[in-house]
Amino acid sequence: MAMVCLTDFEEYAKEHLSKATWDYYAAGADECCTRDDNLLAYKRIRLRPRILRDVSVSDTRTTIQGTEISFPVGIAPTAFHCLAWHEGEMATARATEALNTCYITSTYSTCSVEEIVAAAPNGYRWFQLYLYRDRKLSEQIVHRVEALGYKALVLTVDVPYTGKRRNDIRNQFKLPPHLKVKNFDGVFQEAAVTEEYGIPANTLDPSISWKDVYWLQSITRLPIIIKGILTKEDAELAVEHGVQGIIVSNHGGRQLDGGPASIDALSEIVDTVQGRIEVYLDGGIRTGSDVLKSLALGAKCVFIGRPAVWGLAYKGEEGVREVLQILNDEFRLSMALSGCRNVAEINRNLIQFSKF
């Protein structure tokens, strides 16, 4: 069967992954309202296409943090890629290297940061970071990824506690014995009685606050991008604390249920930031026109989470490449049909909100 759109990969993954694995990837918190609204929100946004604009030549390139990428879609940090494909994050890294875009590696990778770099030595990578009660754990991984050539830290700030994902609780989800959170291999020698997503429970630090941004700046020279901001108030605080970027994100609807869809939160954050730092988005991107809408509302780049995993489940590296290529092709077509020849021509005049 020809894979024509991202939904085709989703259907394949649901059919071929085990129930517990599928439920883990698909999970939203509580009633999944926010997870579902991430998708529905795009359908409420309409495009205002301009015509007769000579779109015979188009250019999808852009820059993020000063580095050129081939089109404004990267891979969001998602955990446990080896559950979907035996090569896991190494396959994801090779696919994003081949498409010349950005891969945000998850702390919760089933391949180590060293293995990921070895698999795709020329790839453009950021590293997603959590802060732990034991700050030394966070500090060690920061120094590891800095030495390996990762180009930014993506501090995820919306998980002081893990959201309640009902199916994971029902399935008693655990990593199979042959898989580990490889970045912490051997760190937790005393196996804890209660484990949460591959590491001992209560390892994440719920006391994390803005002062920790200053602490992070004191131990690294890497740009710091904050992931998980949904309000203009926090966007302003992020700018004041000297970070280099914001990812507007509700963690794929996996944390606080009842919060806004990412795309619905984007405008107020872009308006507050006023170009002082770059603003990105993840959550709900499924088509090239979703990418176009996000850029029109002010995102510099978007990141996809679940679709990358579906691509892995389909054909590993080749599957992720296909997912990215489909999005690239759809984005280019949506741009052209809306009268945009390059990313710089995309602006808010392209958008109207549906009255329905």
Side-chain angles (χ1 to χ4, degrees), residues 321-334:
R321 284 171 75 155
E322 279 191 51
V323 163
L324 287 168
Q325 191 61 57
I326 286 170
L327 273 179
N328 193 348
D329 293 344
E330 288 180 352
F331 173 59
R332 188 183 293 274
L333 182 60
S334 295

Side-chain angles (χ1 to χ4, degrees), residues 319-352:
V320 180
R321 284 171 75 155
E322 279 191 51
V323 163
L324 287 168
Q325 191 61 57
I326 286 170
L327 273 179
N328 193 348
D329 293 344
E330 288 180 352
F331 173 59
R332 188 183 293 274
L333 182 60
S334 295
M335 271 176 58
L337 295 178
S338 299
C340 298
R341 289 159 292 207
N342 55 55
V343 168
E345 292 185 347
I346 301 169
N347 61 51
R348 210 173 285 191
N349 292 331
L350 211 57
I351 292 296
Q352 69 181 33

Side-chain angles (χ1 to χ4, degrees), residues 265-293:
L266 178 63
S267 293
E268 73 169 61
I269 290 169
V270 168
D271 291 345
T272 297
V273 166
Q274 291 284 315
R276 290 174 289 173
I277 58 175
E278 292 184 350
V279 177
Y280 318 110
L281 173 140
D282 69 27
I285 299 286
R286 297 293 182 269
T287 67
S289 68
D290 293 343
V291 181
L292 182 62
K293 290 170 184 178

Side-chain angles (χ1 to χ4, degrees), residues 190-235:
E190 302 295 318
V193 180
T194 50
E195 197 181 86
E196 196 170 61
Y197 298 114
I199 66 171
N202 302 315
T203 306
L204 289 169
D205 189 351
S207 79
I208 181 172
S209 71
W210 287 104
K211 72 179 188 306
D212 292 300
V213 174
Y214 290 140
W215 171 77
L216 203 50
Q217 288 164 338
S218 77
I219 65 163
T220 182
R221 286 187 229 158
L222 290 177
I224 294 166
I225 292 149
I226 295 201
K227 177 181 182 300
I229 284 180
L230 291 167
T231 64
K232 61 186 179 184
E233 294 87 350
D234 284 337

Side-chain angles (χ1 to χ4, degrees), residues 74-345:
I75 303 286
T78 45
F80 308 153
H81 288 194
C82 284
L83 284 175
W85 184 259
H86 63 282
E87 289 185 306
E89 290 82 5
M90 294 188 290
T92 309
R94 286 195 294 265
T96 45
E97 180 186 65
L99 270 288
N100 186 29
T101 190
C102 180
Y103 169 33
I104 308 178
T105 302
S106 171
T107 289
Y108 286 79
S109 296
T110 36
C111 300
S112 70
V113 285
E114 289 80 8
E115 289 170 326
I116 291 164
V117 169
N122 300 311
Y124 180 57
R125 277 175 296 271
W126 297 349
F127 182 78
Q128 178 237 9
L129 181 73
Y130 289 104
L131 292 190
Y132 298 101
R133 291 173 190 267
D134 178 358
R135 286 288 188 276
K136 284 249 177 322
L137 278 183
S138 301
E139 190 169 348
Q140 283 163 0
I141 192 109
V142 166
H143 292 150
R144 272 169 74 188
V145 299
E146 194 163 12
L148 285 164
Y150 281 76
K151 299 302 183 191
L153 295 175
V154 176
L155 178 63
T156 298
V157 294
D158 54 4
V159 193
Y161 301 96
T162 305
K164 183 178 180 183
R165 299 159 199 171
R166 295 176 183 178
N167 282 344
D168 286 353
I169 298 166
R170 291 186 182 109
N171 295 333
Q172 298 184 299
F173 175 82
K174 275 195 170 153
L175 275 181
H178 70 284
L179 295 181
K180 290 189 178 81
V181 179
K182 282 293 272 295
N183 292 320
F184 296 122
D185 201 5
V187 169
F188 303 109
Q189 299 293 5
E190 302 295 318
V193 180
T194 50
E195 197 181 86
E196 196 170 61
Y197 298 114
I199 66 171
N202 302 315
T203 306
L204 289 169
D205 189 351
S207 79
I208 181 172
S209 71
W210 287 104
K211 72 179 188 306
D212 292 300
V213 174
Y214 290 140
W215 171 77
L216 203 50
Q217 288 164 338
S218 77
I219 65 163
T220 182
R221 286 187 229 158
L222 290 177
I224 294 166
I225 292 149
I226 295 201
K227 177 181 182 300
I229 284 180
L230 291 167
T231 64
K232 61 186 179 184
E233 294 87 350
D234 284 337
E236 183 58 47
L237 284 167
V239 174
E240 287 172 11
H241 282 78
V243 304
Q244 279 72 35
I246 287 169
I247 301 180
V248 178
S249 172
N250 53 36
H251 216 102
R254 294 163 77 84
Q255 282 299 107
L256 175 68
D257 200 27
S262 299
I263 190 68
D264 286 342
L266 178 63
S267 293
E268 73 169 61
I269 290 169
V270 168
D271 291 345
T272 297
V273 166
Q274 291 284 315
R276 290 174 289 173
I277 58 175
E278 292 184 350
V279 177
Y280 318 110
L281 173 140
D282 69 27
I285 299 286
R286 297 293 182 269
T287 67
S289 68
D290 293 343
V291 181
L292 182 62
K293 290 170 184 178
S294 301
L295 267 65
L297 288 169
K300 184 80 166 142
C301 179
V302 302
F303 294 88
I304 56 169
R306 292 180 181 96
V309 173
W310 306 335
L312 277 178
Y314 175 59
K315 265 190 195 170
E317 176 191 345
E318 191 183 328
V320 180
R321 284 171 75 155
E322 279 191 51
V323 163
L324 287 168
Q325 191 61 57
I326 286 170
L327 273 179
N328 193 348
D329 293 344
E330 288 180 352
F331 173 59
R332 188 183 293 274
L333 182 60
S334 295
M335 271 176 58
L337 295 178
S338 299
C340 298
R341 289 159 292 207
N342 55 55
V343 168
E345 292 185 347

Side-chain angles (χ1 to χ4, degrees), residues 4-29:
V4 175
C5 61
L6 268 56
T7 312
D8 291 343
F9 293 87
E10 180 179 15
E11 288 170 2
Y12 180 95
K14 186 169 187 179
E15 211 173 291
H16 288 82
L17 294 171
S18 73
K19 182 182 185 303
T21 296
W22 169 259
D23 284 349
Y24 166 72
Y25 288 137

